[in-house]
Amino acid sequence: MLLAVSYVQDLDPLGNRILSTIVASLPVLVLFYLLVQRRWLASKAGAAGAGVAILIAWLVYGMSLKMSMWSFAYGACFGLLPIGWTVFNAMLVYNVTVETGQFRNIRRSISSLSKDGRIQAVLIGFAFGAFLEGSAGSGAPVAVCGAMLVGLGFPPLRAAVICLIANTSPVAYGGLGTPIIVLSDVTGIPGETLSVMAGRQLPFLSCIIPFYMVKVMCSWRQTFQVWPALLVGGAAFAVFQYVFACFHTLPFVKGIVVYHVTDVTSSILTMGVLAVFLRFWKPKHEWHYDSPPPFTTPDPDKLIDTDPHKVDEIAHDPHAIEAAKAAAFLTDTTGDDIPLTKMEVVRAWMPYALMSVCLILVGVLRQMESKGDVWIIPNVLKSRYKIEVPTLHNEVQRAEKLQKPGLAEPENEKAEFNFIWASAAGTPVFMSAILSMLYLRTNFGQIKRIVRKTVVQMKIPIPTIACMLGLSYVTRYSGIDATLGIAFASTGILYPFFAAILGWLGVFLTGTDAGSNALFGSLQKITATEVFNNHTAAFENLSLEQTQTLLSTANSTGGVMGKMIDAQSICVATAGTNQIGREADIFKAVIWHSILLASIVGLMTLIQAYVWPFAAMVPSP
Protein backbone atom coordinates (compact mmCIF):
# COMPACT_ATOMS: atom_id res chain seq x y z
CA MET A 1 0.00 0.00 0.00
CA LEU A 2 1.39 3.40 -1.02
CA LEU A 3 1.94 5.95 1.72
CA ALA A 4 0.07 9.23 1.15
CA VAL A 5 2.36 12.19 0.58
CA SER A 6 1.77 15.92 0.37
CA TYR A 7 4.11 16.60 -2.54
CA VAL A 8 5.33 14.63 -5.56
CA GLN A 9 8.22 16.17 -7.48
CA ASP A 10 7.77 17.20 -11.11
CA LEU A 11 10.98 17.53 -13.12
CA ASP A 12 9.28 19.54 -15.87
CA PRO A 13 6.69 21.76 -14.15
CA LEU A 14 6.29 24.10 -17.16
CA GLY A 15 5.81 21.32 -19.69
CA ASN A 16 8.87 22.50 -21.58
CA ARG A 17 12.27 21.07 -20.64
CA ILE A 18 14.23 24.18 -21.68
CA LEU A 19 11.95 26.65 -19.87
CA SER A 20 11.85 24.49 -16.75
CA THR A 21 15.67 24.32 -16.72
CA ILE A 22 15.97 28.09 -17.10
CA VAL A 23 13.57 28.72 -14.21
CA ALA A 24 15.32 26.08 -12.07
CA SER A 25 18.64 27.87 -12.61
CA LEU A 26 17.32 31.23 -11.38
CA PRO A 27 18.39 30.78 -7.70
CA VAL A 28 21.98 30.14 -8.82
CA LEU A 29 21.90 32.97 -11.37
CA VAL A 30 20.56 35.39 -8.75
CA LEU A 31 23.30 34.25 -6.36
CA PHE A 32 25.94 34.78 -9.06
CA TYR A 33 24.62 38.24 -9.95
CA LEU A 34 24.48 39.47 -6.36
CA LEU A 35 27.92 38.09 -5.42
CA VAL A 36 29.87 38.99 -8.55
CA GLN A 37 28.09 41.99 -10.04
CA ARG A 38 26.51 43.66 -7.01
CA ARG A 39 29.25 42.68 -4.56
CA TRP A 40 26.79 41.73 -1.83
CA LEU A 41 27.99 40.01 1.32
CA ALA A 42 27.79 36.24 0.85
CA SER A 43 25.27 35.86 3.68
CA LYS A 44 22.87 38.36 2.11
CA ALA A 45 23.31 36.91 -1.38
CA GLY A 46 22.70 33.42 -0.02
CA ALA A 47 19.52 34.56 1.74
CA ALA A 48 18.31 36.22 -1.47
CA GLY A 49 19.07 33.08 -3.51
CA ALA A 50 17.19 30.99 -0.97
CA GLY A 51 14.25 33.38 -1.17
CA VAL A 52 14.12 32.97 -4.94
CA ALA A 53 14.29 29.17 -4.56
CA ILE A 54 11.39 29.21 -2.08
CA LEU A 55 9.25 31.28 -4.46
CA ILE A 56 10.03 29.01 -7.42
CA ALA A 57 9.32 25.87 -5.34
CA TRP A 58 5.96 27.38 -4.31
CA LEU A 59 4.77 29.17 -7.46
CA VAL A 60 6.31 26.99 -10.20
CA TYR A 61 6.83 23.51 -8.73
CA GLY A 62 3.66 23.47 -6.67
CA MET A 63 5.25 22.76 -3.30
CA SER A 64 3.32 24.43 -0.48
CA LEU A 65 4.86 27.56 0.96
CA LYS A 66 4.91 25.95 4.39
CA MET A 67 6.89 22.95 3.12
CA SER A 68 9.28 25.24 1.25
CA MET A 69 9.93 27.29 4.37
CA TRP A 70 10.48 24.20 6.50
CA SER A 71 12.93 22.90 3.88
CA PHE A 72 14.94 26.10 4.27
CA ALA A 73 14.75 25.91 8.07
CA TYR A 74 15.92 22.28 8.03
CA GLY A 75 18.98 23.15 5.94
CA ALA A 76 19.76 26.28 7.95
CA CYS A 77 19.64 24.31 11.21
CA PHE A 78 22.16 21.82 9.83
CA GLY A 79 24.28 24.81 8.85
CA LEU A 80 24.32 25.87 12.49
CA LEU A 81 24.79 22.40 14.01
CA PRO A 82 27.11 20.71 13.37
CA ILE A 83 28.71 22.96 10.71
CA GLY A 84 28.58 26.39 12.34
CA TRP A 85 29.35 24.94 15.77
CA THR A 86 32.45 23.22 14.37
CA VAL A 87 33.75 26.24 12.45
CA PHE A 88 33.18 28.60 15.39
CA ASN A 89 35.11 26.44 17.83
CA ALA A 90 37.94 25.80 15.37
CA MET A 91 38.42 29.57 15.16
CA LEU A 92 38.11 29.78 18.95
CA VAL A 93 41.13 27.49 19.44
CA TYR A 94 43.10 29.52 16.90
CA ASN A 95 42.28 32.75 18.75
CA VAL A 96 43.35 31.21 22.05
CA THR A 97 46.85 30.70 20.63
CA VAL A 98 46.91 34.24 19.22
CA GLU A 99 45.67 35.97 22.37
CA THR A 100 48.08 34.07 24.65
CA GLY A 101 51.06 34.76 22.37
CA GLN A 102 51.58 31.10 21.55
CA PHE A 103 50.79 31.55 17.89
CA ARG A 104 53.85 33.75 17.53
CA ASN A 105 56.00 30.90 18.81
CA ILE A 106 54.26 28.53 16.38
CA ARG A 107 55.14 30.93 13.57
CA ARG A 108 58.73 31.28 14.76
CA SER A 109 59.18 27.51 15.09
CA ILE A 110 58.23 27.13 11.42
CA SER A 111 59.97 30.12 9.82
CA SER A 112 63.29 29.34 11.57
CA LEU A 113 63.66 25.94 9.88
CA SER A 114 65.18 27.37 6.69
CA LYS A 115 66.43 30.68 5.27
CA ASP A 116 65.92 29.59 1.66
CA GLY A 117 62.90 31.37 0.17
CA ARG A 118 61.78 28.36 -1.84
CA ILE A 119 61.70 26.09 1.19
CA GLN A 120 60.09 28.81 3.31
CA ALA A 121 57.29 28.99 0.73
CA VAL A 122 56.61 25.27 1.13
CA LEU A 123 56.91 25.26 4.91
CA ILE A 124 54.75 28.33 5.46
CA GLY A 125 52.52 28.63 2.40
CA PHE A 126 51.81 24.93 1.93
CA ALA A 127 52.38 22.97 5.16
CA PHE A 128 51.57 25.66 7.72
CA GLY A 129 48.78 26.97 5.48
CA ALA A 130 47.23 23.49 5.48
CA PHE A 131 47.41 23.47 9.27
CA LEU A 132 45.53 26.77 9.43
CA GLU A 133 43.00 25.60 6.82
CA GLY A 134 42.29 22.45 8.79
CA SER A 135 42.10 24.13 12.20
CA ALA A 136 40.51 27.48 11.38
CA GLY A 137 39.80 28.09 7.70
CA SER A 138 37.74 31.21 6.86
CA GLY A 139 40.61 33.01 5.14
CA ALA A 140 43.17 32.43 7.91
CA PRO A 141 45.70 30.51 5.73
CA VAL A 142 45.98 33.17 3.03
CA ALA A 143 45.99 36.12 5.43
CA VAL A 144 48.38 34.69 8.01
CA CYS A 145 50.80 32.94 5.65
CA GLY A 146 50.81 35.86 3.21
CA ALA A 147 51.76 38.24 5.99
CA MET A 148 54.46 35.85 7.23
CA LEU A 149 56.05 35.57 3.79
CA VAL A 150 56.01 39.33 3.28
CA GLY A 151 57.69 39.70 6.67
CA LEU A 152 60.41 37.31 5.41
CA GLY A 153 61.10 39.48 2.37
CA PHE A 154 58.71 38.15 -0.29
CA PRO A 155 57.17 40.75 -2.62
CA PRO A 156 53.55 41.25 -1.49
CA LEU A 157 51.97 40.28 -4.83
CA ARG A 158 54.11 37.16 -5.11
CA ALA A 159 53.37 36.19 -1.48
CA ALA A 160 49.63 36.49 -2.11
CA VAL A 161 49.78 34.37 -5.29
CA ILE A 162 51.90 31.66 -3.64
CA CYS A 163 49.53 31.34 -0.68
CA LEU A 164 46.45 31.26 -2.90
CA ILE A 165 47.93 28.42 -4.96
CA ALA A 166 49.04 26.56 -1.82
CA ASN A 167 45.59 26.81 -0.24
CA THR A 168 44.00 24.26 -2.59
CA SER A 169 44.52 20.55 -1.91
CA PRO A 170 43.92 20.91 1.88
CA VAL A 171 40.60 22.77 1.43
CA ALA A 172 38.35 19.69 1.14
CA TYR A 173 39.23 18.87 4.77
CA GLY A 174 39.23 22.50 5.92
CA GLY A 175 37.51 23.59 9.10
CA LEU A 176 37.81 20.08 10.55
CA GLY A 177 36.29 18.35 7.54
CA THR A 178 33.36 20.74 7.11
CA PRO A 179 33.09 20.33 3.29
CA ILE A 180 32.92 16.53 3.61
CA ILE A 181 30.30 16.77 6.37
CA VAL A 182 28.14 19.06 4.22
CA LEU A 183 28.54 16.90 1.12
CA SER A 184 27.55 13.81 3.09
CA ASP A 185 24.41 15.44 4.38
CA VAL A 186 23.11 16.75 1.06
CA THR A 187 23.90 13.55 -0.86
CA GLY A 188 23.13 10.93 1.76
CA ILE A 189 26.49 9.27 1.04
CA PRO A 190 28.41 8.46 4.27
CA GLY A 191 31.13 10.98 5.05
CA GLU A 192 33.56 8.12 5.57
CA THR A 193 33.02 6.95 1.98
CA LEU A 194 33.40 10.46 0.56
CA SER A 195 36.55 10.96 2.62
CA VAL A 196 38.10 7.79 1.19
CA MET A 197 37.34 8.97 -2.35
CA ALA A 198 38.82 12.41 -1.67
CA GLY A 199 41.80 10.68 -0.04
CA ARG A 200 42.41 8.83 -3.30
CA GLN A 201 42.42 12.00 -5.40
CA LEU A 202 43.88 14.87 -3.40
CA PRO A 203 47.24 13.25 -2.47
CA PHE A 204 48.24 13.34 -6.15
CA LEU A 205 47.64 17.09 -6.13
CA SER A 206 49.47 17.45 -2.82
CA CYS A 207 52.59 16.04 -4.52
CA ILE A 208 52.27 18.57 -7.36
CA ILE A 209 51.44 21.76 -5.45
CA PRO A 210 54.88 22.34 -3.79
CA PHE A 211 56.64 22.10 -7.17
CA TYR A 212 53.97 24.23 -8.81
CA MET A 213 54.08 27.08 -6.30
CA VAL A 214 57.91 27.22 -6.26
CA LYS A 215 57.98 27.27 -10.08
CA VAL A 216 55.72 30.34 -9.91
CA MET A 217 58.43 31.98 -7.78
CA CYS A 218 61.51 31.19 -9.86
CA SER A 219 62.94 29.40 -12.90
CA TRP A 220 62.81 25.65 -13.58
CA ARG A 221 66.52 25.38 -12.79
CA GLN A 222 66.10 27.08 -9.43
CA THR A 223 63.04 24.95 -8.70
CA PHE A 224 64.87 21.66 -9.29
CA GLN A 225 67.78 22.81 -7.12
CA VAL A 226 65.51 22.10 -4.14
CA TRP A 227 63.65 19.11 -5.56
CA PRO A 228 64.55 16.84 -2.61
CA ALA A 229 62.80 19.17 -0.15
CA LEU A 230 59.82 19.63 -2.47
CA LEU A 231 59.52 15.89 -2.93
CA VAL A 232 59.78 15.16 0.78
CA GLY A 233 57.28 17.90 1.69
CA GLY A 234 54.75 16.99 -1.00
CA ALA A 235 55.06 13.23 -0.60
CA ALA A 236 54.92 13.38 3.20
CA PHE A 237 51.74 15.46 3.16
CA ALA A 238 50.22 13.20 0.49
CA VAL A 239 50.92 10.04 2.50
CA PHE A 240 49.58 11.48 5.75
CA GLN A 241 46.57 12.96 3.95
CA TYR A 242 45.73 9.53 2.55
CA VAL A 243 46.24 7.80 5.89
CA PHE A 244 43.97 10.07 7.91
CA ALA A 245 41.34 10.40 5.18
CA CYS A 246 41.11 6.60 5.00
CA PHE A 247 42.04 5.89 8.63
CA HIS A 248 38.81 4.02 9.39
CA THR A 249 39.58 1.47 6.65
CA LEU A 250 43.03 0.54 7.95
CA PRO A 251 43.67 -2.73 9.86
CA PHE A 252 43.67 -2.60 13.69
CA VAL A 253 41.84 0.78 13.76
CA LYS A 254 38.99 -0.19 11.45
CA GLY A 255 35.87 1.87 12.10
CA ILE A 256 37.53 4.74 13.98
CA VAL A 257 36.74 7.88 11.97
CA VAL A 258 39.26 10.75 12.20
CA TYR A 259 39.02 12.39 8.77
CA HIS A 260 38.08 15.65 10.52
CA VAL A 261 41.72 16.13 11.56
CA THR A 262 43.23 15.15 8.19
CA ASP A 263 44.68 18.62 7.52
CA VAL A 264 45.73 19.31 11.10
CA THR A 265 47.61 16.08 11.66
CA SER A 266 49.01 15.81 8.12
CA SER A 267 50.44 19.32 8.21
CA ILE A 268 51.99 18.96 11.66
CA LEU A 269 53.61 15.65 10.73
CA THR A 270 54.78 17.05 7.38
CA MET A 271 56.44 20.01 9.11
CA GLY A 272 58.09 17.55 11.48
CA VAL A 273 59.38 15.40 8.61
CA LEU A 274 60.73 18.48 6.82
CA ALA A 275 62.36 19.73 10.01
CA VAL A 276 64.24 16.43 10.39
CA PHE A 277 65.10 16.30 6.67
CA LEU A 278 66.50 19.84 6.70
CA ARG A 279 68.90 18.88 9.47
CA PHE A 280 70.66 16.56 7.01
CA TRP A 281 70.12 18.34 3.70
CA LYS A 282 70.60 21.95 2.64
CA PRO A 283 70.41 23.49 -0.87
CA LYS A 284 73.83 24.21 -2.38
CA HIS A 285 72.84 27.76 -3.17
CA GLU A 286 70.54 29.60 -0.79
CA TRP A 287 67.89 31.51 -2.71
CA HIS A 288 65.82 34.46 -1.57
CA TYR A 289 64.44 37.70 -2.91
CA ASP A 290 67.33 40.15 -3.13
CA SER A 291 65.76 43.33 -1.78
CA PRO A 292 62.90 42.89 0.65
CA PRO A 293 60.25 45.48 -0.20
CA PRO A 294 59.00 47.92 2.41
CA PHE A 295 55.87 46.63 4.12
CA THR A 296 53.50 49.01 5.86
CA THR A 297 51.04 47.16 8.02
CA PRO A 298 47.42 48.39 8.02
CA ASP A 299 46.22 49.87 11.30
CA PRO A 300 44.07 47.08 12.79
CA ASP A 301 42.48 49.35 15.41
CA LYS A 302 40.93 51.46 12.67
CA LEU A 303 39.84 48.47 10.65
CA ILE A 304 38.28 46.36 13.39
CA ASP A 305 35.46 48.82 14.06
CA THR A 306 34.61 49.31 10.42
CA ASP A 307 30.93 48.78 9.63
CA PRO A 308 30.65 45.63 7.44
CA HIS A 309 28.12 47.49 5.30
CA LYS A 310 30.90 49.93 4.38
CA VAL A 311 33.32 47.16 3.64
CA ASP A 312 33.91 48.46 0.08
CA GLU A 313 36.52 50.72 1.65
CA ILE A 314 38.64 47.65 2.48
CA ALA A 315 38.38 45.22 -0.39
CA HIS A 316 34.62 44.56 -0.16
CA ASP A 317 34.91 41.83 2.43
CA PRO A 318 34.74 41.88 6.24
CA HIS A 319 37.37 39.13 6.37
CA ALA A 320 39.81 41.82 5.24
CA ILE A 321 39.49 43.40 8.66
CA GLU A 322 40.80 40.34 10.45
CA ALA A 323 43.34 39.74 7.70
CA ALA A 324 44.80 43.18 8.33
CA LYS A 325 44.97 42.44 12.04
CA ALA A 326 46.77 39.18 11.31
CA ALA A 327 49.25 41.06 9.13
CA ALA A 328 49.88 43.58 11.89
CA PHE A 329 50.50 40.81 14.41
CA LEU A 330 52.67 38.56 12.28
CA THR A 331 55.02 41.18 10.87
CA ASP A 332 56.12 42.20 14.37
CA THR A 333 59.49 40.48 14.63
CA THR A 334 60.53 41.97 17.97
CA GLY A 335 62.41 39.31 19.92
CA ASP A 336 62.58 36.83 17.06
CA ASP A 337 66.35 36.59 17.46
CA ILE A 338 65.93 34.90 20.85
CA PRO A 339 66.02 31.09 20.32
CA LEU A 340 62.97 29.09 21.31
CA THR A 341 63.34 26.33 23.88
CA LYS A 342 61.82 22.89 23.32
CA MET A 343 59.33 23.50 26.11
CA GLU A 344 58.22 26.78 24.50
CA VAL A 345 57.60 24.97 21.21
CA VAL A 346 55.68 22.17 22.96
CA ARG A 347 53.62 24.73 24.90
CA ALA A 348 52.77 26.61 21.71
CA TRP A 349 51.54 23.52 19.88
CA MET A 350 49.70 22.01 22.87
CA PRO A 351 46.22 23.43 22.02
CA TYR A 352 46.26 21.57 18.72
CA ALA A 353 47.57 18.40 20.32
CA LEU A 354 44.65 18.57 22.76
CA MET A 355 42.24 19.17 19.89
CA SER A 356 43.49 16.12 18.00
CA VAL A 357 43.17 13.88 21.07
CA CYS A 358 39.63 15.12 21.80
CA LEU A 359 38.57 14.55 18.19
CA ILE A 360 39.95 11.02 18.20
CA LEU A 361 38.07 10.22 21.43
CA VAL A 362 34.83 11.52 19.93
CA GLY A 363 35.58 9.40 16.87
CA VAL A 364 35.18 6.40 19.19
CA LEU A 365 31.82 7.79 20.38
CA ARG A 366 30.70 8.23 16.79
CA GLN A 367 31.58 4.61 16.11
CA MET A 368 29.41 3.58 19.06
CA GLU A 369 26.55 5.70 17.73
CA SER A 370 26.64 3.80 14.45
CA LYS A 371 25.44 0.75 16.39
CA GLY A 372 22.61 2.54 18.22
CA ASP A 373 21.82 5.25 20.75
CA VAL A 374 24.48 6.08 23.32
CA TRP A 375 23.31 7.29 26.75
CA ILE A 376 25.61 9.90 28.29
CA ILE A 377 23.50 9.81 31.46
CA PRO A 378 21.52 6.53 31.63
CA ASN A 379 17.84 7.07 30.79
CA VAL A 380 18.29 10.85 31.01
CA LEU A 381 20.60 12.20 28.31
CA LYS A 382 21.53 10.69 24.94
CA SER A 383 24.43 11.74 22.71
CA ARG A 384 22.04 12.56 19.86
CA TYR A 385 18.38 13.10 19.13
CA LYS A 386 16.54 12.77 15.83
CA ILE A 387 13.81 15.35 15.33
CA GLU A 388 11.26 14.94 12.56
CA VAL A 389 10.84 18.12 10.48
CA PRO A 390 7.18 19.23 10.46
CA THR A 391 5.27 18.98 7.13
CA LEU A 392 8.37 17.51 5.46
CA HIS A 393 9.32 14.12 6.93
CA ASN A 394 8.01 11.34 4.64
CA GLU A 395 5.79 13.92 2.91
CA VAL A 396 7.89 14.36 -0.25
CA GLN A 397 8.15 11.79 -3.00
CA ARG A 398 10.98 11.93 -5.51
CA ALA A 399 10.06 11.97 -9.18
CA GLU A 400 9.59 8.52 -10.70
CA LYS A 401 12.74 8.95 -12.79
CA LEU A 402 14.80 9.35 -9.62
CA GLN A 403 13.43 6.34 -7.75
CA LYS A 404 15.70 3.35 -7.20
CA PRO A 405 14.90 0.55 -9.66
CA GLY A 406 13.27 -2.60 -8.33
CA LEU A 407 11.35 -0.99 -5.46
CA ALA A 408 7.86 -2.38 -4.87
CA GLU A 409 6.57 1.12 -4.14
CA PRO A 410 7.95 4.68 -4.39
CA GLU A 411 10.32 5.77 -1.66
CA ASN A 412 9.55 8.93 0.31
CA GLU A 413 12.12 11.49 1.39
CA LYS A 414 13.05 11.48 5.06
CA ALA A 415 13.52 14.76 6.90
CA GLU A 416 14.97 14.16 10.37
CA PHE A 417 17.25 16.72 11.97
CA ASN A 418 20.07 14.85 13.69
CA PHE A 419 20.84 16.84 16.84
CA ILE A 420 24.31 15.42 17.50
CA TRP A 421 25.37 17.69 20.33
CA ALA A 422 27.99 15.30 21.75
CA SER A 423 29.58 13.71 18.68
CA ALA A 424 29.60 16.77 16.41
CA ALA A 425 33.20 17.73 15.67
CA GLY A 426 32.64 21.14 17.24
CA THR A 427 32.05 19.68 20.70
CA PRO A 428 35.51 18.10 21.22
CA VAL A 429 37.05 21.21 19.66
CA PHE A 430 35.19 23.35 22.19
CA MET A 431 36.46 21.10 24.97
CA SER A 432 40.01 21.47 23.66
CA ALA A 433 39.56 25.27 23.67
CA ILE A 434 38.54 25.12 27.35
CA LEU A 435 41.44 22.82 28.20
CA SER A 436 43.84 25.08 26.30
CA MET A 437 42.65 28.12 28.23
CA LEU A 438 43.27 26.28 31.48
CA TYR A 439 46.66 25.01 30.32
CA LEU A 440 47.76 28.47 29.14
CA ARG A 441 46.26 30.15 32.23
CA THR A 442 44.19 32.72 30.41
CA ASN A 443 42.55 35.37 32.55
CA PHE A 444 38.98 36.69 32.31
CA GLY A 445 40.00 39.66 30.15
CA GLN A 446 41.75 37.42 27.65
CA ILE A 447 38.78 35.04 27.48
CA LYS A 448 36.45 37.97 26.85
CA ARG A 449 38.64 39.21 23.97
CA ILE A 450 38.94 35.70 22.51
CA VAL A 451 35.18 35.18 22.47
CA ARG A 452 34.46 38.67 21.11
CA LYS A 453 37.01 38.29 18.33
CA THR A 454 35.65 34.88 17.34
CA VAL A 455 32.08 36.20 17.21
CA VAL A 456 33.20 39.09 14.97
CA GLN A 457 35.08 36.72 12.66
CA MET A 458 32.17 34.28 12.39
CA LYS A 459 29.25 36.72 12.05
CA ILE A 460 29.48 36.49 8.24
CA PRO A 461 30.66 32.89 7.56
CA ILE A 462 28.14 31.07 9.79
CA PRO A 463 25.01 32.86 8.45
CA THR A 464 26.41 32.30 4.95
CA ILE A 465 26.72 28.55 5.54
CA ALA A 466 23.20 28.44 7.04
CA CYS A 467 21.70 30.29 4.05
CA MET A 468 23.55 28.18 1.49
CA LEU A 469 22.40 24.96 3.11
CA GLY A 470 18.87 26.35 3.39
CA LEU A 471 18.97 27.08 -0.34
CA SER A 472 20.29 23.60 -1.03
CA TYR A 473 17.54 21.90 0.96
CA VAL A 474 14.80 23.87 -0.79
CA THR A 475 16.13 22.83 -4.22
CA ARG A 476 16.56 19.24 -3.01
CA TYR A 477 13.08 18.69 -1.59
CA SER A 478 11.24 20.67 -4.28
CA GLY A 479 13.04 18.92 -7.16
CA ILE A 480 14.70 22.04 -8.57
CA ASP A 481 18.13 20.40 -8.37
CA ALA A 482 16.78 17.33 -10.17
CA THR A 483 15.64 19.48 -13.10
CA LEU A 484 19.16 20.91 -13.36
CA GLY A 485 20.71 17.47 -12.92
CA ILE A 486 18.79 16.09 -15.90
CA ALA A 487 20.03 19.04 -17.96
CA PHE A 488 23.67 18.53 -16.95
CA ALA A 489 23.37 14.85 -17.81
CA SER A 490 23.20 15.90 -21.47
CA THR A 491 27.01 16.17 -21.42
CA GLY A 492 26.95 12.35 -21.39
CA ILE A 493 30.13 10.39 -20.77
CA LEU A 494 32.14 13.62 -20.47
CA TYR A 495 30.24 14.62 -17.36
CA PRO A 496 32.87 13.28 -14.89
CA PHE A 497 35.16 16.04 -16.17
CA PHE A 498 32.47 18.69 -15.84
CA ALA A 499 31.54 17.46 -12.36
CA ALA A 500 34.87 18.84 -11.11
CA ILE A 501 34.39 22.07 -13.07
CA LEU A 502 30.92 22.54 -11.57
CA GLY A 503 32.44 22.24 -8.10
CA TRP A 504 35.09 24.78 -9.11
CA LEU A 505 32.35 27.17 -10.21
CA GLY A 506 30.50 26.59 -6.94
CA VAL A 507 33.50 27.64 -4.84
CA PHE A 508 34.05 30.68 -7.04
CA LEU A 509 30.42 31.66 -6.38
CA THR A 510 30.09 30.85 -2.68
CA GLY A 511 33.65 31.37 -1.48
CA THR A 512 33.87 28.01 0.28
CA ASP A 513 34.10 24.34 -0.64
CA ALA A 514 31.37 23.65 1.91
CA GLY A 515 29.15 26.22 0.22
CA SER A 516 29.75 24.64 -3.18
CA ASN A 517 28.92 21.21 -1.78
CA ALA A 518 25.72 22.57 -0.27
CA LEU A 519 24.77 24.23 -3.54
CA PHE A 520 25.63 21.47 -6.01
CA GLY A 521 26.20 18.26 -3.99
CA SER A 522 22.71 16.83 -4.39
CA LEU A 523 22.68 17.86 -8.05
CA GLN A 524 25.92 15.93 -8.62
CA LYS A 525 24.41 12.74 -7.21
CA ILE A 526 21.28 13.10 -9.35
CA THR A 527 23.30 13.78 -12.48
CA ALA A 528 25.59 10.83 -11.73
CA THR A 529 22.53 8.58 -11.54
CA GLU A 530 21.16 9.91 -14.83
CA VAL A 531 24.47 9.62 -16.68
CA PHE A 532 25.05 6.10 -15.34
CA ASN A 533 21.59 4.91 -16.37
CA ASN A 534 22.02 6.35 -19.87
CA HIS A 535 25.57 5.05 -20.39
CA THR A 536 25.78 1.85 -18.38
CA ALA A 537 28.28 0.26 -20.78
CA ALA A 538 30.72 3.13 -20.31
CA PHE A 539 30.65 2.65 -16.53
CA GLU A 540 31.34 -1.08 -16.71
CA ASN A 541 34.02 -0.79 -14.02
CA LEU A 542 31.77 1.02 -11.53
CA SER A 543 28.43 0.39 -9.86
CA LEU A 544 25.77 3.10 -9.58
CA GLU A 545 26.73 3.80 -5.96
CA GLN A 546 30.42 4.10 -6.88
CA THR A 547 29.57 6.50 -9.71
CA GLN A 548 27.55 8.65 -7.32
CA THR A 549 30.43 8.67 -4.83
CA LEU A 550 33.03 9.58 -7.46
CA LEU A 551 31.08 12.43 -9.06
CA SER A 552 29.80 13.83 -5.78
CA THR A 553 33.34 13.89 -4.39
CA ALA A 554 34.57 15.57 -7.58
CA ASN A 555 32.41 18.54 -6.60
CA SER A 556 34.61 18.99 -3.54
CA THR A 557 38.02 18.02 -4.97
CA GLY A 558 37.47 20.08 -8.11
CA GLY A 559 36.02 22.87 -6.04
CA VAL A 560 39.19 23.36 -4.02
CA MET A 561 40.88 24.81 -7.12
CA GLY A 562 38.30 27.58 -7.20
CA LYS A 563 39.36 28.68 -3.73
CA MET A 564 42.20 30.78 -5.11
CA ILE A 565 39.90 32.96 -7.25
CA ASP A 566 36.83 33.45 -5.06
CA ALA A 567 36.15 36.99 -3.90
CA GLN A 568 36.71 36.25 -0.22
CA SER A 569 40.16 34.71 -0.76
CA ILE A 570 41.27 37.49 -3.09
CA CYS A 571 40.15 40.19 -0.66
CA VAL A 572 41.75 38.47 2.33
CA ALA A 573 44.98 38.10 0.36
CA THR A 574 45.10 41.80 -0.51
CA ALA A 575 44.38 42.84 3.07
CA GLY A 576 46.85 40.39 4.63
CA THR A 577 49.67 41.58 2.36
CA ASN A 578 48.58 45.26 2.47
CA GLN A 579 47.63 45.51 -1.21
CA ILE A 580 44.12 46.93 -0.94
CA GLY A 581 43.04 47.98 -4.43
CA ARG A 582 45.10 45.35 -6.27
CA GLU A 583 42.41 42.68 -6.26
CA ALA A 584 42.25 42.64 -10.06
CA ASP A 585 46.03 42.15 -10.35
CA ILE A 586 45.96 39.15 -8.01
CA PHE A 587 42.93 37.67 -9.77
CA LYS A 588 44.68 37.91 -13.15
CA ALA A 589 47.79 36.32 -11.66
CA VAL A 590 45.98 33.21 -10.37
CA ILE A 591 43.02 32.64 -12.70
CA TRP A 592 44.89 30.47 -15.24
CA HIS A 593 46.55 28.45 -12.47
CA SER A 594 43.08 27.82 -11.06
CA ILE A 595 41.64 26.69 -14.39
CA LEU A 596 44.60 24.41 -15.12
CA LEU A 597 44.51 22.69 -11.73
CA ALA A 598 40.72 22.28 -11.86
CA SER A 599 41.09 20.70 -15.31
CA ILE A 600 43.64 18.24 -13.87
CA VAL A 601 41.08 17.17 -11.26
CA GLY A 602 38.47 16.84 -14.02
CA LEU A 603 40.76 14.60 -16.07
CA MET A 604 41.60 12.54 -12.99
CA THR A 605 37.88 12.02 -12.33
CA LEU A 606 37.32 11.08 -15.97
CA ILE A 607 40.08 8.45 -15.81
CA GLN A 608 38.82 7.01 -12.52
CA ALA A 609 35.33 6.75 -14.01
CA TYR A 610 36.29 4.71 -17.07
CA VAL A 611 39.85 3.34 -16.97
CA TRP A 612 40.86 0.22 -15.09
CA PRO A 613 42.73 -0.09 -12.71
CA PHE A 614 42.11 3.56 -11.74
CA ALA A 615 38.41 2.79 -11.37
CA ALA A 616 39.36 0.38 -8.59
CA MET A 617 40.29 3.45 -6.50
CA VAL A 618 36.60 4.34 -6.15
CA PRO A 619 35.34 2.93 -2.83
CA SER A 620 32.39 0.56 -2.75
CA PRO A 621 29.45 1.39 -0.46
Side-chain angles (χ1 to χ4, degrees), residues 245-319:
C246 307
F247 193 80
H248 55 279
T249 66
L250 302 177
F252 308 113
V253 291
K254 198 173 184 67
I256 298 179
V257 180
V258 296
Y259 70 80
H260 306 85
V261 294
T262 295
D263 279 351
V264 176
T265 50
S266 298
S267 57
I268 292 175
L269 291 171
T270 298
M271 287 185 281
V273 169
L274 276 171
V276 173
F277 177 75
L278 291 172
R279 286 181 173 271
F280 300 96
W281 180 89
K282 301 288 183 185
K284 291 182 179 179
H285 305 285
E286 190 174 280
W287 183 95
H288 51 77
Y289 288 102
D290 295 328
S291 53
F295 181 62
T296 305
T297 302
D299 186 347
D301 294 326
K302 293 181 180 179
L303 291 176
I304 189 61
D305 295 322
T306 301
D307 185 346
H309 297 290
K310 299 178 181 178
V311 81
D312 285 347
E313 299 175 9
I314 46 171
H316 314 287
D317 195 300
H319 286 85

Side-chain angles (χ1 to χ4, degrees), residues 541 606-616:
N541 295 312
L606 201 63
I607 292 171
Q608 289 178 322
Y610 302 124
V611 181
W612 190 90
F614 300 101

